[in-house]
Amino acid sequence: MNVDRRRFLTTSACAAATAAVASEIVGAERLGDHALPIVYPETISAESDAEVKWDKAPCRFCGTGCHVQVGVKDDRVVAIKGDLNAEVNRGLLCVKGYHVGKILYGEDRLTQPLRRVDGELRPISWGEAIDLIAEKISAAPDRFAIYGSGQWTIPEGFAANKFMKAGLSSNYIDGNPRLCMASAVTGFLTCYGVDEPAGCYDDLDVCDVLIMWGNNPAEMHPILFSRVVDRRSRGEQITMIDIGTRRTRTTEHCQHYLEFKPHSDLAIANGIAHLLIKNGTYDKKFVERFGAFRELDPENPNNMYGKPITFDEYCQRLEPYTPQYVSEISGLPVEQIEMLGELFGRRDVRITSLWCMGMNQHTRGTAINALVHGIHFLSGHFGKPGDSPTSLTGQPSACGTVREVGTLCHLLPGGRLVANVAHRQSAEDLWNVERGRIKPEIGYHTVLLFDKFCTPAAEGGNIDTLWVQVTNPGQTLPNLHKLFRRKAESPEKFLIVSDVYPTATTELADLILPSALWVEKNGMYGNSERRTQQWFKMVDPPGEARDDCWQIIAVSHRLLELGHEGMRDKDGRWLFHTENEQGEEVPIWQWEHYYDVNVDRRLFEEYRPFTTYKQKDLAPYDEYVKARGLRWPVVQKDDGTWRETRFRFSEFDDPFVEKGKEIQFYHSVSKDDRGQIWFHPYEPPPEMPDAEYPFWLNTGRVLEHWHTGTMTLRVPELARAVPQAYVELHPEDAKELGLNRGDWARVESRRGYIDLPVWVNGRGKPPRGQVFVPFFDETKLINEVTLDEHDPFSKQPDYKKCAVRVSRTPGR
């Protein structure tokens, strides 16, 4: 069945949401073959449309990086439409994107600072709030930490990173991409020596085969998926393969569905490599010129870069992974394994692999990422448009702010490492602080950071004050019982939360700071294809809400006033000293003067020199003002214009590949310009179903909601479409349990339980013995059930599989 992009995007939303969208189009005209603008009728009429001012911004939700046109009238967002000039989405948006303007206007926006006193939240002034934070830090700077997000803008993340690492000499900073993208990072690093994809979204326009490895882009990245669907509507032939653990809406569009047992994807990847070797269909030329082989070193198992092995040793390691053996482990029929081996062995097709949380939220996440990259290297399906292994992201700037700016406990901006003395010195020079200011000790990764914060000081919990910005760990951390139940036992612990709405995390907070959201401030994001994007503030935030970046800068200046010498550079100037065009200092720590200059531009231009170290070069700020994003590396041409790069490491497009090299992995782990082809053995997961807990639990997202629902649940149309979380069951499992659709079931693990309504034969269809629960609902915290085991290298937890039992909720 051929379905064009518009029809796909319409049918991908459930009927209630689609009806809501249709009912709200007021005075909208057809824009060629593109989507109609969504106008919010309570704020604008067709007659007043001429008074609406339009400007560009990337969407606030996922890592796709769609551009929207934002319509503003009377200091309020009144309309949204897809941006016709944006390459990413070409004028289209998903159901969340069309309603993105309404995230600003929930009735319960936080509008003033609040301090918890005797269990009650009481309003305080911003001056009191800033003083309180500065006093907490001054009392014990080595016991203070910041937890951020892939929703931080690039300038916000850069300010936080500089504040912590150059100002407080502390690496106690981490972010929520540790929970979603960390294994993709370690996979790229171990194979390429540098992070982030070599290809880009253009691969989707020319690939012959598209393989989804445990992800559901039809719902999670629908605009990207629609590019491939649209090609089919034009008569193009694309083979689509869904390798998954449950049927989804992606499955409906695929010719092949390969349903594997959870965690067995490593065996499948090794099985493909085994067949390429056995059948002699691996790309000998590519391997000889551009490949090297590697495995973990048993004598140094904590070194994720392992040791080199020979081609013969690699073949020996793969010998056991016959189709029959892989079938036993994975549950896939031998024929499907052989089909994958045959496809990768063909030179007449171009293959793109996509993945997201299925491979990343995995106790062997680094390994499976590396294996899929390795299959592409081994088969030669790399370095040409349409031939690419590509990791997608779930947050709008997990790449730009966290991976590139380096807002994790072990990173520095531009791909540098805090444990590397040369990297520290380079960062110290660029930040103009004395040598030794940045500490060599790696801070705490997310799970450990919260463990240290929630553990009483007397028991070794050495983080006393924690500042959370732009994220909701009270809902997203795994095994929530283990962590936050202990904070209540530790009155000396002080939690600061900057957010826009009440959340599960603000419920635990001692100090709540109201933040500006999306187009209520200037911003820059970096999306999944290395595209850096910029937007300007368009409306004022409500009440006393203020930018997250300003909050950090104001605390920094208050610490300066209190005499903290770390807030000065080696010339004695404040770390965030800012001047106007006349060379006069602008007091940006004072809110009334924060927008006297463009602080985003000032911070971004300070950040740019960091990016050249790993060839992640960025253009000047003003180039992004003119563009709908640019994909790095961005280099200046002889005529003074700036050129983006679509395909890294390939001579035809990457300006850093030496002439005649064809393909050059110029940050190669093996120091010889070669990509690493890894062997990692299959190992069973840390927890599997048994007689007591006989079901697999899988968690994830739904189309209509984003992450913890903090924003989307305030959009009436989206909240009505999917108002609460649920548990998906196979019909036969439901029948044996005596459960019908709409009944309430208890999902229980060794860690905790929740009660949920049952959904049978819904949009997702788990196999027998598996259940699925989305995590957007703060009233039904599935992460009180999940496991906190994590990958040994990325430290990313495995949310995708643990053992549970299911029963009827008592009394219902």
Side-chain angles (χ1 to χ4, degrees), residues 166-182:
L168 296 179
S169 296
S170 171
N171 295 318
Y172 289 151
I173 177 174
D174 216 58
N176 66 3
R178 179 75 69 182
L179 308 178
C180 61
M181 294 310 307

Side-chain angles (χ1 to χ4, degrees), residues 141-426:
D142 59 338
R143 302 177 74 87
F144 168 76
I146 282 184
Y147 185 66
S149 160
Q151 299 160 67
W152 259 340
T153 67
I154 291 171
E156 286 168 352
F158 184 75
N161 217 16
K162 183 179 184 181
F163 172 65
M164 290 298 293
K165 291 168 182 169
L168 296 179
S169 296
S170 171
N171 295 318
Y172 289 151
I173 177 174
D174 216 58
N176 66 3
R178 179 75 69 182
L179 308 178
C180 61
M181 294 310 307
S183 292
V185 174
T186 49
F188 280 114
L189 290 174
T190 56
C191 294
Y192 302 78
V194 65
D195 185 25
E196 296 198 45
C200 62
Y201 298 162
D202 296 22
D203 291 310
L204 300 173
D205 300 331
V206 295
C207 64
D208 302 298
V209 179
L210 179 64
I211 302 177
M212 277 67 65
W213 291 79
N215 60 320
N216 177 18
E219 295 188 85
M220 303 305 107
H221 296 88
I223 294 298
L224 296 182
F225 195 70
S226 72
R227 289 170 76 148
V228 183
V229 171
D230 200 37
R231 291 177 58 198
R232 280 187 172 173
S233 73
R234 299 194 299 267
E236 296 184 43
Q237 300 298 312
I238 306 102
T239 298
M240 298 172 68
I241 302 171
D242 180 12
I243 306 176
T245 58
R246 89 188 226 277
R247 289 181 176 271
T248 66
R249 287 187 168 177
T250 297
T251 315
E252 297 171 8
H253 294 270
C254 294
Q255 291 97 325
H256 304 281
Y257 173 54
L258 283 60
E259 188 172 276
F260 67 96
K261 296 176 184 177
H263 203 79
S264 65
D265 41 6
L266 277 80
I268 296 169
N270 282 332
I272 296 169
H274 171 96
L275 287 170
L276 290 170
I277 299 296
K278 281 295 182 183
N279 297 337
T281 53
Y282 71 96
D283 191 326
K284 300 176 181 62
K285 177 184 175 183
F286 189 99
V287 171
E288 289 173 0
R289 292 188 61 191
F290 310 123
F293 297 91
R294 216 160 189 90
E295 69 177 0
L296 291 178
D297 185 351
E299 296 184 3
N300 189 10
N302 295 324
N303 177 12
M304 72 177 187
Y305 294 103
K307 65 174 184 177
I309 57 175
T310 66
F311 175 70
D312 288 341
E313 289 172 324
Y314 175 73
C315 295
Q316 291 170 9
R317 307 290 192 272
L318 290 174
E319 192 66 32
Y321 290 89
T322 64
Q324 293 74 22
Y325 178 63
V326 173
S327 178
E328 292 173 10
I329 295 173
S330 68
L332 295 185
V334 167
E335 295 77 15
Q336 291 185 332
I337 299 162
E338 291 176 338
M339 180 265 292
L340 290 173
E342 179 184 349
L343 265 178
F344 273 100
R346 290 174 58 179
R347 304 279 83 77
D348 61 332
V349 296
R350 295 194 176 187
I351 301 175
T352 291
S353 290
L354 294 180
W355 65 91
C356 200
M357 297 304 106
M359 278 174 43
N360 295 338
Q361 292 176 338
H362 196 310
T363 53
R364 302 291 307 289
T366 302
I368 184 58
N369 271 265
L371 290 181
V372 174
H373 289 298
I375 292 169
H376 277 264
F377 294 166
L378 187 66
S379 63
H381 285 290
F382 180 86
K384 302 178 292 294
D387 268 333
S388 181
T390 298
S391 165
L392 298 176
T393 53
Q395 296 187 89
S397 202
C399 292
T401 302
V402 178
R403 295 162 72 167
E404 294 160 26
V405 173
T407 55
L408 294 175
C409 64
H410 66 291
L411 292 178
L412 291 165
R416 294 166 178 82
L417 301 173
V418 298
N420 184 304
V421 61
H423 292 185
R424 293 196 304 276
Q425 291 176 351
S426 171

Side-chain angles (χ1 to χ4, degrees), residues 28-57:
E29 59 183 85
R30 185 176 178 82
L31 301 175
D33 291 328
H34 295 276
L36 298 170
I38 296 299
V39 179
Y40 305 142
E42 65 270 23
T43 54
I44 184 173
S45 66
E47 291 74 21
S48 62
D49 185 65
E51 302 173 23
V52 175
K53 180 181 178 181
W54 295 90
D55 206 348
K56 70 175 177 78

Side-chain angles (χ1 to χ4, degrees), residues 557-797:
H557 197 271
R558 186 69 185 107
L559 286 169
L560 178 74
E561 293 170 344
L562 292 173
H564 195 294
E565 286 303 310
M567 294 302 121
R568 299 183 186 275
D569 66 16
K570 65 183 181 182
D571 297 325
R573 295 203 309 183
W574 178 43
L575 288 180
F576 297 103
H577 177 86
T578 300
E579 297 178 354
N580 59 22
E581 294 180 355
Q582 290 73 43
E584 302 165 332
E585 182 176 16
V586 179
I588 60 171
W589 64 90
Q590 298 173 2
W591 176 244
E592 58 270 26
H593 293 291
Y594 184 69
Y595 276 93
D596 288 357
V597 293
N598 187 334
V599 176
D600 268 26
R601 179 187 282 113
R602 174 254 185 271
L603 292 171
F604 185 76
E605 292 300 337
E606 181 182 353
Y607 165 56
R608 277 185 63 219
F610 283 88
T611 67
T612 60
Y613 173 68
K614 289 273 190 175
Q615 283 70 47
K616 301 183 179 185
D617 302 43
L618 297 174
Y621 178 89
D622 290 340
E623 294 299 314
Y624 297 98
V625 174
K626 296 182 289 186
R628 265 53 172 186
L630 296 170
R631 290 168 284 197
W632 58 259
V634 187
V635 297
Q636 192 169 29
K637 299 195 295 185
D638 292 340
D639 63 2
T641 60
W642 294 83
R643 175 193 180 277
E644 67 173 359
T645 302
R646 297 181 303 153
F647 300 98
R648 296 169 79 196
F649 313 121
S650 296
E651 184 180 351
F652 73 89
D653 197 49
D654 188 335
F656 293 103
V657 174
E658 298 172 21
K659 187 175 182 180
K661 289 279 191 177
E662 187 178 343
I663 290 177
Q664 182 183 11
F665 298 99
Y666 39 75
H667 287 291
S668 168
V669 172
S670 49
K671 311 299 182 186
D672 55 4
D673 292 338
R674 294 174 177 267
Q676 308 304 299
I677 302 171
W678 280 82
F679 173 76
H680 286 283
Y682 164 79
E683 295 174 2
E687 183 174 273
M688 296 180 70
D690 55 22
E692 187 176 4
Y693 297 92
F695 288 89
W696 284 109
L697 168 66
N698 180 14
T699 70
R701 290 187 1 215
V702 297
L703 169 69
E704 292 82 2
H705 292 298
W706 192 74
H707 284 205
T708 62
T710 302
M711 295 178 288
T712 52
L713 280 169
R714 268 77 181 185
V715 176
E717 295 79 6
L718 301 178
R720 287 196 300 267
V722 185
Q724 63 182 340
Y726 52 84
V727 55
E728 287 179 355
L729 283 168
H730 188 278
E732 292 301 317
D733 288 330
K735 183 178 179 181
E736 287 187 2
L737 292 165
L739 294 169
N740 297 307
R741 184 169 180 164
D743 290 344
W744 280 74
R746 175 160 294 179
V747 178
E748 183 175 9
S749 72
R750 292 175 174 85
R751 292 156 293 281
Y753 70 85
I754 59 168
D755 295 316
L756 298 153
V758 172
W759 200 0
V760 179
N761 291 325
R763 64 177 66 168
K765 298 176 177 61
R768 293 213 65 178
Q770 185 186 129
V771 300
F772 171 83
V773 178
F775 71 90
F776 71 86
D777 189 343
E778 69 178 12
T779 68
K780 299 171 181 61
L781 297 177
I782 188 58
N783 284 322
E784 294 190 349
V785 179
T786 52
L787 190 68
D788 59 358
E789 294 287 336
H790 53 261
D791 180 276
F793 303 114
S794 70
K795 313 303 182 186
Q796 181 167 351

Side-chain angles (χ1 to χ4, degrees), residues 505-517:
T505 311
T506 63
E507 285 294 309
L508 303 162
D510 301 287
L511 177 65
I512 300 173
L513 305 178
S515 292
L517 173 61

